[in-house]
Amino acid sequence: MTPMKEASPPVSAMATPTNSSGNLVDEFEEAFQHCLNVLTKEEAVPTSDKDEIKVEVEQNTLRFIDLARQMEAFFLQKRFLLSALKPEMNVKEDISELRLELARKEELLKRHYDKIAVWQNLLADLQSYSKSPAQGSATPSAGSIPPSPLQNIPGSYPCMVIL
């Protein structure tokens, strides 16, 4: 005797809530669990038809997608009501988003100014380095040449500087 499979609800019935509380979030979670169960369950009967499995997967996936759309519609309706009843909330949200964006851009500018200062110092060091051997003796000793300022910059790679 083969075990009877539980009949899946028709696609038209998927839009209506099935659990007693009617909580959309719970139904959404339930549908997600059903999707996972269908994909991960071990078959009691190894001779089950692949078409039956495919239909079950499609039905559970469609139910999950349908509930996701219902949840999206619910939240969009609430957002619309909130914007209609309390438009100042939208303005406050926009202001806070603009403040965050402004702070982010100010931080970016600060980092750029810091990098400019580092490169200006490097350029000044290179200019002073190129002038100092010309003012001293014609053949400076190896101990009198200062180390390259390029080594002090984080993230820089050793390279040959031609002056």
Side-chain angles (χ1 to χ4, degrees), residues 74-93:
F74 173 79
F75 286 115
L76 287 173
Q77 287 172 349
K78 293 300 179 184
R79 176 117 175 131
F80 176 72
L81 282 174
L82 187 64
S83 67
L85 298 176
K86 296 191 177 205
E88 67 273 5
M89 295 292 285
N90 278 347
V91 174
K92 286 180 182 179
E93 185 178 337

Side-chain angles (χ1 to χ4, degrees), residues 85-163:
L85 298 176
K86 296 191 177 205
E88 67 273 5
M89 295 292 285
N90 278 347
V91 174
K92 286 180 182 179
E93 185 178 337
D94 290 344
I95 289 171
S96 66
E97 287 176 5
L98 288 172
R99 283 184 179 150
L100 288 172
E101 186 176 349
L102 185 61
R104 183 185 60 81
K105 287 182 179 181
E106 285 175 352
E107 181 64 30
L108 184 65
L109 281 172
K110 182 180 177 287
R111 284 187 283 170
H112 283 300
Y113 283 133
D114 291 344
K115 286 181 183 178
I116 288 173
V118 167
W119 285 104
Q120 284 176 335
N121 289 337
L122 176 65
L123 184 60
D125 290 347
L126 284 175
Q127 287 175 342
S128 66
Y129 174 73
S130 66
K131 289 180 183 178
S132 63
Q135 293 172 353
S137 63
T139 57
S141 65
S144 66
I145 297 176
S148 171
L150 288 175
Q151 296 171 351
N152 298 332
I153 297 177
S156 66
Y157 297 101
C159 61
M160 179 183 276
V161 177
I162 300 176
L163 299 175

Side-chain angles (χ1 to χ4, degrees), residues 34-85:
H34 285 298
C35 285
L36 290 179
N37 289 340
V38 168
L39 296 173
T40 59
K41 73 178 177 180
E42 294 182 21
E43 289 295 323
V45 180
T47 61
S48 63
D49 192 16
K50 288 184 179 184
D51 290 335
E52 288 178 15
I53 295 172
K54 184 177 179 181
V55 168
E56 189 176 1
V57 166
E58 286 177 1
Q59 286 178 343
N60 284 318
T61 305
L62 286 174
R63 175 148 174 76
F64 178 72
I65 291 171
D66 185 46
L67 287 169
R69 287 183 180 147
Q70 287 180 28
M71 278 185 50
E72 182 182 21
F74 173 79
F75 286 115
L76 287 173
Q77 287 172 349
K78 293 300 179 184
R79 176 117 175 131
F80 176 72
L81 282 174
L82 187 64
S83 67
L85 298 176

